């Protein structure tokens, strides 16, 4: 009996996520994904226009939350911007740590793809908010280190419960960032 279309679609997504996590986005081919699902490459292409479309669908929920955080941060300055950015990004990173793990080491390359190009501008605004919108190099450096550290920590510690990881990350953020003026 043939598989149903929604089932195959979800199986392709799950297989892609597993392969991206193990061999990376660049190291995974559509043929690898098809082989795991037990279908042809043509079937994968029936469901997804290309590998970028697969990644886009996998990342869509996290990107939606990131865009909402970007909109929330826009209404804040100084210490308030830091707090909103820190709490919002920690929540996002904890919630989507499996997706973050998929991108480990490949984030700069992925930003070059059209579907992800706008993420660079959001990242820059997030760094500015973490720095309390300060122009001081030390504030911007701390902001970038903290952001990268949150993402890396969430990708590394997939099995730590959310209720333990979130407060630990927020405590590190508070210690690492310069207070905004």
């Amino acid at each position: 009996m043939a598989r149903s279309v929604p089932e195959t679609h979800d199986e392709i997504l799950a297989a892609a996520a597993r392969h991206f996590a193990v061999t990376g986005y660049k190291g995974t081919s559509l043929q690898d994904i098809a082989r795991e699902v037990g279908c042809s490459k043509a079937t994968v292409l029936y469901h997804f226009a290309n590998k970028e479309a697969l990644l886009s669908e996998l990342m869509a929920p996290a990107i939606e939350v990131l865009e909402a955080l970007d909109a929330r941060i826009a209404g804040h300055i100084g210490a308030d911007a830091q707090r909103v950015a820190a709490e919002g990004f920690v929540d996002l990173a904890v919630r989507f740590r499996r997706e973050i793990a998929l991108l480990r080491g490949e984030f700069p390359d992925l930003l070059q793809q059209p579907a992800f190009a706008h993420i660079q501008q959001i990242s820059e605004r997030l760094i500015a908010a973490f720095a309390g919108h300060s122009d001081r190099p030390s504030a911007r450096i701390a902001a970038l280190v903290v952001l990268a550290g949150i993402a890396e920590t969430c990708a590394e510690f997939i099995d730590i419960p959310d209720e333990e990881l979130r407060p630990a990350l927020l405590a590190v953020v508070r210690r690492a960032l310069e207070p905004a003026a």
Side-chain angles (χ1 to χ4, degrees):
M1 181 171 159
R3 297 180 199 180
S4 70
V5 172
E7 182 179 294
T8 302
H9 182 91
D10 292 346
E11 288 175 5
I12 292 168
L13 277 174
R18 285 189 295 276
H19 275 278
F20 294 162
V22 173
T23 59
Y25 175 77
K26 287 193 304 188
T28 299
S29 71
L30 292 176
Q31 187 59 50
D32 295 333
I33 295 164
R35 191 176 307 112
E36 181 176 330
V37 173
C39 67
S40 67
K41 182 177 171 183
T43 300
V44 173
L45 289 170
Y46 170 80
H47 291 276
F48 300 94
N50 51 38
K51 191 166 67 164
E52 184 180 316
L54 255 168
L55 184 62
S56 291
E57 188 165 329
L58 282 170
M59 299 307 296
I63 289 172
E64 232 175 76
V65 172
L66 180 63
E67 290 168 342
L69 174 59
D70 186 40
R72 272 197 328 273
I73 291 169
H76 300 277
I77 58 170
D80 202 29
Q82 275 182 322
R83 181 189 54 75
V84 171
E87 290 174 2
F89 189 71
V90 165
D91 288 345
L92 180 148
V94 168
R95 178 177 171 193
F96 295 105
R97 56 183 127 165
R98 282 175 174 59
E99 289 81 355
I100 290 170
L102 296 178
L103 301 178
R104 242 180 169 169
E106 297 191 62
F107 193 67
D109 291 336
L110 294 174
L111 290 177
Q112 303 305 313
Q113 296 183 21
F116 301 101
H118 71 294
I119 302 300
Q120 182 65 43
Q121 290 82 32
I122 293 173
S123 295
E124 289 167 9
R125 289 190 294 271
L126 199 53
I127 290 167
F130 265 75
H133 295 287
S134 171
D135 289 335
R136 292 185 319 273
S138 60
R140 294 188 56 76
I141 290 166
L144 180 57
V145 168
V146 167
L147 272 169
I150 290 168
E152 185 63 24
T153 300
C154 285
E156 180 67 27
F157 295 106
I158 298 265
D159 297 331
I160 293 179
D162 294 0
E163 58 276 2
E164 187 176 338
L165 184 59
R166 184 181 189 280
L169 288 170
L170 287 172
V172 169
V173 169
R174 283 189 284 280
R175 287 192 308 264
L177 293 181
E178 296 179 16

